[in-house]
Amino acid sequence: MAHDDKGAVAPTITFDDFLKVDIRVGRVIEAEPFPEARKPALKLKIDFGEEIGIKKTSAQITRHYTPETLIGRRVLAVVNFPPRQIGPVMSEVLTLGVPDADGEVVLLAPDQDVPLGGRLY
Protein backbone atom coordinates (compact mmCIF):
# COMPACT_ATOMS: atom_id res chain seq x y z
CA MET A 1 0.00 0.00 0.00
CA ALA A 2 1.79 3.10 -1.22
CA HIS A 3 1.14 6.30 0.66
CA ASP A 4 2.63 9.73 1.20
CA ASP A 5 4.07 9.83 4.71
CA LYS A 6 4.07 13.62 4.67
CA GLY A 7 0.30 13.79 4.18
CA ALA A 8 0.59 16.26 1.29
CA VAL A 9 -2.74 17.12 -0.30
CA ALA A 10 -3.17 15.49 -3.71
CA PRO A 11 -3.86 17.60 -6.81
CA THR A 12 -7.44 18.81 -7.31
CA ILE A 13 -9.69 16.41 -9.23
CA THR A 14 -13.24 16.66 -10.54
CA PHE A 15 -16.23 14.85 -9.08
CA ASP A 16 -16.28 12.72 -12.26
CA ASP A 17 -12.70 11.64 -11.46
CA PHE A 18 -13.83 10.60 -7.98
CA LEU A 19 -16.72 8.57 -9.42
CA LYS A 20 -14.25 6.51 -11.47
CA VAL A 21 -12.87 4.99 -8.25
CA ASP A 22 -15.22 2.19 -7.19
CA ILE A 23 -14.87 1.75 -3.41
CA ARG A 24 -17.05 -0.96 -1.86
CA VAL A 25 -17.63 -2.55 1.51
CA GLY A 26 -16.71 -6.19 1.92
CA ARG A 27 -16.32 -8.72 4.71
CA VAL A 28 -13.06 -10.58 5.31
CA ILE A 29 -13.84 -14.30 5.04
CA GLU A 30 -10.26 -15.66 5.04
CA ALA A 31 -7.00 -14.25 6.36
CA GLU A 32 -3.61 -15.94 6.60
CA PRO A 33 0.06 -15.05 6.94
CA PHE A 34 1.94 -14.09 3.74
CA PRO A 35 5.53 -15.13 4.56
CA GLU A 36 6.68 -14.67 0.93
CA ALA A 37 5.97 -10.91 1.04
CA ARG A 38 8.95 -8.52 1.21
CA LYS A 39 7.32 -6.63 4.10
CA PRO A 40 5.11 -8.29 6.73
CA ALA A 41 1.66 -8.80 5.22
CA LEU A 42 -1.47 -10.91 5.31
CA LYS A 43 -3.34 -12.62 2.47
CA LEU A 44 -7.07 -11.88 2.50
CA LYS A 45 -10.22 -13.10 0.79
CA ILE A 46 -12.99 -10.52 0.95
CA ASP A 47 -16.67 -11.09 0.12
CA PHE A 48 -18.24 -8.08 -1.63
CA GLY A 49 -21.67 -9.65 -2.09
CA GLU A 50 -23.42 -11.19 -5.08
CA GLU A 51 -22.60 -8.61 -7.75
CA ILE A 52 -18.82 -8.52 -7.19
CA GLY A 53 -18.19 -11.77 -5.34
CA ILE A 54 -15.09 -12.86 -3.45
CA LYS A 55 -11.78 -11.14 -4.22
CA LYS A 56 -8.22 -11.83 -3.10
CA THR A 57 -5.64 -9.32 -1.92
CA SER A 58 -2.71 -8.85 0.40
CA ALA A 59 -2.19 -6.04 2.88
CA GLN A 60 0.64 -4.80 5.09
CA ILE A 61 -1.54 -4.70 8.19
CA THR A 62 0.31 -6.98 10.60
CA ARG A 63 0.98 -4.33 13.28
CA HIS A 64 -2.67 -3.96 14.31
CA TYR A 65 -4.33 -7.09 12.94
CA THR A 66 -4.00 -10.88 13.06
CA PRO A 67 -5.81 -13.34 10.81
CA GLU A 68 -8.11 -14.20 13.72
CA THR A 69 -9.13 -10.59 14.37
CA LEU A 70 -9.86 -9.95 10.68
CA ILE A 71 -12.35 -12.75 9.99
CA GLY A 72 -15.85 -11.26 9.77
CA ARG A 73 -14.56 -7.67 9.80
CA ARG A 74 -16.02 -5.23 7.28
CA VAL A 75 -13.48 -3.25 5.24
CA LEU A 76 -13.48 -0.76 2.38
CA ALA A 77 -11.58 -1.52 -0.81
CA VAL A 78 -11.11 -0.23 -4.35
CA VAL A 79 -12.59 -2.94 -6.57
CA ASN A 80 -11.92 -1.55 -10.06
CA PHE A 81 -8.13 -1.46 -10.26
CA PRO A 82 -6.57 -4.01 -12.63
CA PRO A 83 -5.31 -7.16 -10.85
CA ARG A 84 -1.68 -6.90 -9.70
CA GLN A 85 0.75 -9.73 -9.03
CA ILE A 86 2.31 -9.45 -5.57
CA GLY A 87 4.67 -12.38 -5.21
CA PRO A 88 2.56 -15.53 -5.51
CA VAL A 89 -0.71 -13.62 -4.87
CA MET A 90 -2.82 -11.99 -7.59
CA SER A 91 -4.21 -8.95 -5.77
CA GLU A 92 -7.67 -8.13 -7.12
CA VAL A 93 -8.64 -5.23 -4.81
CA LEU A 94 -6.89 -2.53 -2.76
CA THR A 95 -7.95 -2.60 0.89
CA LEU A 96 -8.03 0.93 2.28
CA GLY A 97 -6.49 2.26 5.46
CA VAL A 98 -4.95 5.33 7.02
CA PRO A 99 -1.68 5.65 8.93
CA ASP A 100 -1.56 5.73 12.71
CA ALA A 101 0.96 8.01 14.49
CA ASP A 102 3.75 5.52 13.62
CA GLY A 103 2.74 5.16 9.96
CA GLU A 104 1.18 1.72 10.46
CA VAL A 105 -2.04 0.91 8.60
CA VAL A 106 -5.41 1.19 10.33
CA LEU A 107 -8.19 -0.22 8.16
CA LEU A 108 -11.18 1.86 7.10
CA ALA A 109 -14.60 0.40 7.86
CA PRO A 110 -18.22 1.53 8.20
CA ASP A 111 -19.26 2.16 11.80
CA GLN A 112 -22.56 0.32 11.33
CA ASP A 113 -23.58 -3.01 9.83
CA VAL A 114 -24.15 -2.29 6.13
CA PRO A 115 -24.87 -4.62 3.19
CA LEU A 116 -21.87 -6.14 1.41
CA GLY A 117 -21.03 -4.48 -1.89
CA GLY A 118 -22.31 -1.04 -0.87
CA ARG A 119 -20.51 1.65 -2.82
CA LEU A 120 -18.86 4.63 -1.12
CA TYR A 121 -20.33 7.98 -2.10
Side-chain angles (χ1 to χ4, degrees):
M1 180 180 307
H3 55 81
D4 181 351
D5 290 332
K6 295 180 176 116
V9 176
T12 300
I13 62 171
T14 67
F15 188 68
D16 285 342
D17 290 333
F18 170 73
L19 290 177
K20 292 176 186 175
V21 182
D22 193 351
I23 299 172
R24 304 285 181 126
V25 64
R27 181 176 54 237
V28 177
I29 58 170
E30 288 183 29
E32 59 185 88
F34 186 9
E36 305 91 344
R38 283 189 309 237
K39 294 183 179 178
L42 298 173
K43 294 186 278 190
L44 308 175
K45 283 189 183 174
I46 304 171
D47 182 0
F48 291 94
E50 264 185 52
E51 184 181 344
I52 296 169
I54 296 170
K55 300 292 182 180
K56 296 178 291 188
T57 192
S58 68
Q60 295 172 12
I61 55 175
T62 57
R63 177 69 61 92
H64 295 297
Y65 307 97
T66 64
E68 298 76 25
T69 62
L70 287 167
I71 303 298
R73 180 186 217 70
R74 279 179 166 65
V75 295
L76 290 171
V78 177
V79 298
N80 66 330
F81 284 149
R84 183 173 162 212
Q85 191 74 41
I86 300 175
V89 173
M90 182 60 76
S91 182
E92 300 172 302
V93 298
L94 175 65
T95 309
L96 299 176
V98 294
D100 68 8
D102 296 323
E104 296 292 335
V105 178
V106 174
L107 293 172
L108 295 180
D111 66 357
Q112 295 187 27
D113 190 10
V114 294
L116 299 182
R119 186 170 180 176
L120 179 110
Y121 58 82

